Amino acid sequence: MAKRPAKSPAPEADDLASAPPIAAGPNVPELSVSELANALKRTVEDRFGHVRVRGEITNYRGPHSSGHVYFSLKDQNARLDAVIWKMTFLRLRVKPQEGLEVVATGKISTFPGKSSYQIVIETLEPAGAGALMALLDERRKRLAAEGLFDAERKKPLPFLPRVVGVVTSPTGAVIRDILHRLLDRFPRHVLVWPVRVQGETCAAEVAAAIDGFNALPVDGPIPRPNVLIVARGGGSLEDLFGFNEEIVVRAAAASAIPLVSAIGHETDTTLIDFVADLRAPTPTGAAEKCVPVRAELVEQTANLARRLAGAERRLLDANRRQLASLQRVLPAGAQLLLAPAQRADRAGERLRSTLRRALDGKRLSLSRVSHVLARHSPQAELARASERLKGLQARLRQGLVARRALARREAEDAQRRLDHAEQRLRSAFLRILDERQARLDRLDQLRKTLGYEQVLARGFALVRDETGALLRQAAEIASGQRLDVQFSDGRIAATAESDRAPPSPAHPSPATPSPTPAARQKRAKGGGDDQGSLF
């Protein structure tokens, strides 16, 4: 088997990149695929550091699951793969869209895994005003379809706001123009929310400022504005693009405070102008639309006061002339009172006759009532009530006597029933007592028959030790031990004198185990025998 020649050391990648072409031959150094791919990668990246490429976005499918974005840039004759890393994509002001022509800035690199090259995009801009306007037109139509630009949503501005909120750059000329115009027309309390009015963070800061003003409490330490002005000076379409962002448009649409947009010059139009409650051509015009002219209000008020005073004088003069005319037409006062006086006299006469007739009728009615009252006088009613009371008292006494007699009879009946029940209870109690006594006598007779006293009467005796425990065998007794011997007629004390064991019987009985101390104590407490109690 032929031996394989040793592999020569690989040259450095930089040397390969800068080395002149070498003719093919047996002396050409051998390279691995990775070494060649890395050398090509360094060559491409060194040759094309940062480039700006213009092309149309194609094959765009949105962010990958990793957050990175992959698509291609193409023109009429070629296509270039492109990638935007996740963090770069989040910072982009203009997001890629399918078919959008853009200018991409980045660096060219290779992807060794596919033997392809690609551009790693760092910034992305629409390619010219035409593409940018197409993007804005598409966004405007989409937001208009949602109803964000409807006139019904727009709120009227307050006539004289107490606090004016301004969203703009604090260092530009816009805020000075607004403050100067407000000071000239009607000085108001102004709150400025500083933001960047162009750049990548412009849209987010403007939207946050609008939301921040709306989040202020009505009675908080910082007064809540009654009207908002979002202002910026003139500029190119790219400079004003931050006010075309969707986040700014939605924040302006959600604002509960009336909002005035003053972006750029009068010819500049941004999407926030469509959603704002009022569009001003310039920041100075916005200040003019927010507050009236104080001098004009004072002059108008004075003019109205003069007109009101003149109208009052004219009204008084007209009323005087009308009163004088009426006085000439009307008759004298004495003549006016003649007819009413005559009517009053006639009415007085009719009233007197009517009163006399009414008085006569009342007297007749009174006499009739007095006659009825005489029959029903208090004395007569009291006498009749006294008679009824006496009758009721007599009936009450009779009822009480009958009630007492009835109660006495019921008490006697109850006493008789109680005596009879007592006799029956006493006889029943004596009968039960006799039956219990007879049963007790029988049980006592049975106890005496079965008890050990009968055994003692036949000549037997019980032997106990000092503790009262029953002794059944002589082996349990020690010499000199104190004994208690019980006969049928009494007990005597004895002392064991001999410790010699008694002779064994011819036919010994089965050994009886000696009681344990616990058993002895139990027998001492229970009477000293094994005879059970029938009770």
Side-chain angles (χ1 to χ4, degrees), residues 3 46 80 184 244 246 314 319 354 378 415 479 491 514:
K3 186 176 181 181
D46 292 342
L80 174 64
D184 288 345
N244 293 315
E246 186 173 346
R314 289 191 297 273
N319 290 337
T354 303
Q415 183 63 37
S479 177
R491 293 186 178 184
S514 60

Side-chain angles (χ1 to χ4, degrees), residues 305-317:
R306 290 192 298 271
R307 291 176 59 187
L308 179 61
E312 290 178 352
R313 288 193 300 271
R314 289 191 297 273
L315 179 61
L316 289 175
D317 295 339

Side-chain angles (χ1 to χ4, degrees), residues 295-357:
E296 293 179 357
L297 290 179
V298 173
E299 183 180 357
Q300 184 178 2
T301 304
N303 186 23
L304 291 175
R306 290 192 298 271
R307 291 176 59 187
L308 179 61
E312 290 178 352
R313 288 193 300 271
R314 289 191 297 273
L315 179 61
L316 289 175
D317 295 339
N319 290 337
R320 290 192 186 96
R321 290 193 297 271
Q322 186 177 4
L323 181 59
S325 301
L326 292 176
Q327 287 177 351
R328 288 193 297 270
V329 173
L330 291 175
Q335 294 177 358
L336 291 175
L337 294 177
L338 292 177
Q342 187 178 4
R343 288 194 298 271
D345 294 339
R346 292 180 180 178
E349 293 177 357
R350 290 195 300 271
L351 180 61
R352 283 192 293 272
S353 61
T354 303
L355 287 176
R356 281 195 297 269
R357 288 194 300 272

